[in-house]
Amino acid sequence: MKLNNIKDITDFIFVGKEFEELSHYDLLIINSDWAEEQLAKDMKKMLEKNIIDDNTTFLICGSHNSPDGSKSDRDTAKLLIGYLNELGFKNRIIVDNEYIENPKLLKNIDKLVDINKYDRILRVAKDFVARRWYMNAKRHNFPIEKCDFYGVVDSRCISKNDWYKSETATNQVMKEFINIGKLTIEDELSIY
């Protein structure tokens, strides 16, 4: 058996769906981390392709951290909502800045929406966090059978196709790989 490290890591980390594979969703759970303009454009395409419609609820979790992890005054949820308004979106938007981390969001989803009333859910976040999202979701009994993941690519170009082409992107993916391992060892995540 020939090992292909890039393919093996890619297949493990990047488990989200490509745009063309998305179906129709009535709830989007969105982390608006530093790719707000691109995300708004992607959502406009989703509307045009009937992946979402005017009745789709948007749960937007903003971030106040920069891509390097440092604190920032930038309110990414507010910026995303501004772009959505410019594009004419009229959807119901729930903004939450308290439960932006996956475990907190999954533990507290019932404080934000009645998850049982939604048939199809699309989790939108950075492309390279898909595996951790699914592992967290399973641990917290989130209805993952109703959920798909769509990855947004920020200015660092950390995508399924390009993550290994720059040192910054490679380092971030490897940090995610290590983070998953650390959380699994600490029983925060499970491989089962």
Side-chain angles (χ1 to χ4, degrees), residues 7-156:
K7 181 183 182 325
D8 294 341
I9 293 167
T10 301
D11 290 347
F12 179 74
I13 294 290
F14 295 92
V15 293
K17 293 203 175 224
E18 298 291 332
F19 189 88
E20 299 76 26
E21 299 174 297
L22 299 176
S23 59
H24 185 270
Y25 304 93
D26 50 355
L27 174 65
L28 267 59
I29 302 174
I30 305 163
N31 270 69
S32 58
D33 287 338
W34 294 83
E36 306 86 11
E37 187 173 12
Q38 182 60 50
L39 178 53
K41 290 175 183 176
D42 287 355
M43 292 170 68
K44 184 69 172 175
K45 289 180 196 170
M46 288 179 192
L47 185 64
E48 292 166 358
K49 300 285 186 184
N50 198 34
I51 294 168
I52 59 175
D53 59 35
D54 292 340
N55 296 314
T56 302
T57 300
F58 301 160
L59 171 55
I60 300 175
C61 305
S63 175
H64 296 288
N65 290 333
S66 299
D68 65 6
S70 64
K71 289 287 182 194
S72 170
D73 292 333
R74 187 173 187 226
D75 185 338
T76 60
K78 190 175 190 177
L79 289 168
L80 176 59
I81 292 167
Y83 286 119
L84 293 174
N85 287 338
E86 286 175 17
L87 293 172
F89 280 88
K90 302 288 186 220
N91 298 66
R92 177 179 176 223
I93 297 175
I94 301 165
V95 177
D96 177 76
N97 286 325
E98 185 175 350
Y99 307 123
I100 57 173
E101 297 173 6
N102 282 338
K104 285 183 185 177
L105 177 64
L106 291 160
K107 288 179 194 174
N108 295 286
I109 195 76
D110 61 327
K111 295 177 180 142
L112 302 168
V113 294
D114 179 359
I115 204 71
N116 296 315
K117 90 174 209 184
Y118 297 98
D119 295 320
R120 296 289 299 140
I121 302 162
L122 183 62
R123 175 68 164 122
V124 180
K126 291 177 184 163
D127 204 15
F128 60 90
V129 301
R131 173 65 66 185
R132 184 164 38 103
W133 161 257
Y134 278 115
M135 291 175 79
N136 268 308
K138 185 174 182 183
R139 178 162 177 85
H140 295 287
N141 297 315
F142 188 86
I144 56 176
E145 68 281 353
K146 299 195 301 186
C147 187
D148 289 328
F149 187 99
Y150 176 70
V152 177
V153 178
D154 65 17
S155 62
R156 297 173 294 173

Side-chain angles (χ1 to χ4, degrees), residues 156-168:
R156 297 173 294 173
C157 296
I158 306 172
S159 70
K160 182 177 187 173
N161 298 322
D162 295 324
W163 71 268
Y164 56 89
K165 294 178 181 176
S166 79
E167 184 177 353
T168 300

